[in-house]
């Protein structure tokens, strides 16, 4: 017990108030002991690209090759560059298709919710779950169809087509910590000699 009858705090312990160099957190003494370790763990090592590929599959194969050669792959990253939005039109949209898409999107959640509620019947949970899941599927499809019709009507004919959006990088860079980058370049040079696409990044 300290003066005043209070129990000792953490900051009252010897050395608890010591700060590590460059690790102050909002000027709070003592907290810097833990913050120094956190800052060290979150510090990124200098990296540089060692190879560039046109597809993700090629970049993935390059990293897999490094792993097979015993390279420390935890020091590797695949970075997509020059990302662009691609919207692929898949067909026309009208009231019928809007209702169909809405019913399809609402049927599965309705069946899942019905299945979960049906499991609470302790007498015959399997039959109850299947029956309530069927009711949930029908109810979810109806609600989804109505919701799809409502959304399509609110658009006022401004978007009479259905599409799928995706993000597509134009290339994929394999980047490695600077300390082991030369070793990665050497190993990937052997992979490219086997005919795999991609090119070594300039050093």
């Amino acid at each position: 017990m300290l003066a005043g009858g209070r129990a000792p705090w953490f900051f009252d312990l010897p050395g608890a108030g010591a700060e590590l160099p460059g690790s102050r957190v909002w000027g709070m003494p003592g907290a810097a002991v833990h913050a120094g370790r956190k800052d060290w763990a979150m510090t990124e090592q200098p990296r540089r690209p060692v190879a560039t590929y046109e597809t993700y599959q090629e970049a993935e194969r390059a990293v897999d090759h490094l792993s097979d050669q015993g390279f420390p792959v935890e020091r590797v990253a695949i970075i997509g560059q020059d990302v662009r939005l691609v919207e692929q039109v898949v067909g026309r949209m009208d009231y019928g298709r809007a209702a169909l898409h809405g019913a399809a999107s609402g049927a599965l959640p309705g069946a899942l919710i019905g299945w979960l509620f049906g499991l609470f019947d302790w007498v015959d949970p399997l039959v109850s779950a299947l029956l309530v899941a069927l009711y949930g599927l029908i109810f979810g499809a109806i609600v989804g169809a109505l919701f799809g019709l409502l959304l399509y009507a609110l658009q006022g004919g401004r978007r009479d087509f259905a599409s799928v959006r995706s993000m597509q990088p134009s290339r994929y860079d394999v980047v490695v910590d600077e300390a082991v980058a030369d070793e990665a370049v050497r190993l990937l040079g052997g992979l490219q000699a086997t005919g795999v696409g991609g090119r070594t990044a300039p050093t």
Side-chain angles (χ1 to χ4, degrees), residues 46-202:
R47 289 180 169 181
R48 67 179 171 92
V50 296
T52 299
Y53 299 91
E54 294 183 358
T55 66
Y56 175 78
Q57 288 74 19
E58 292 175 335
E60 184 182 43
R61 181 173 179 180
V63 177
D64 187 56
H65 176 74
L66 292 176
S67 178
D68 293 340
Q69 299 300 316
F71 187 83
V73 290
E74 66 274 7
R75 308 181 73 173
V76 181
I78 300 176
I79 301 179
Q81 301 288 355
D82 301 331
V83 179
R84 59 182 179 178
L85 173 65
V86 178
E87 184 174 5
Q88 176 62 50
V89 179
V90 296
R92 291 180 55 84
M93 180 63 67
D94 52 24
Y95 282 101
R97 292 180 183 270
L100 182 62
H101 289 177
S105 62
L108 183 58
L112 180 60
I113 294 175
W115 170 269
L116 293 177
F117 275 104
L119 291 177
F120 287 102
D121 187 348
W122 299 105
V123 179
D124 197 349
L126 181 59
V127 175
S128 297
L130 292 176
L131 185 61
V132 179
L134 178 61
Y135 290 153
L137 186 146
I138 297 173
F139 180 76
I142 294 175
V143 173
L146 294 176
F147 191 70
L149 288 173
L150 178 62
L151 288 180
Y152 181 73
L154 291 176
Q155 291 177 357
R158 290 173 298 177
R159 189 179 176 88
D160 290 337
F161 63 90
S163 63
V164 177
R165 295 181 180 180
S166 62
M167 305 297 293
Q168 297 182 1
S170 62
R171 72 178 192 277
Y172 297 87
D173 292 341
V174 176
V175 298
V176 181
D177 289 352
E178 184 69 36
V180 292
D182 292 337
E183 178 66 11
V185 171
R186 184 184 68 80
L187 294 175
L188 291 179
L191 179 64
Q192 292 170 2
T194 63
V196 178
R199 62 182 185 276
T200 303

Side-chain angles (χ1 to χ4, degrees), residues 1-3 5-14:
M1 300 294 289
L2 300 180
R6 67 178 178 86
W9 292 359
F10 170 77
F11 297 124
D12 294 324
L13 300 178

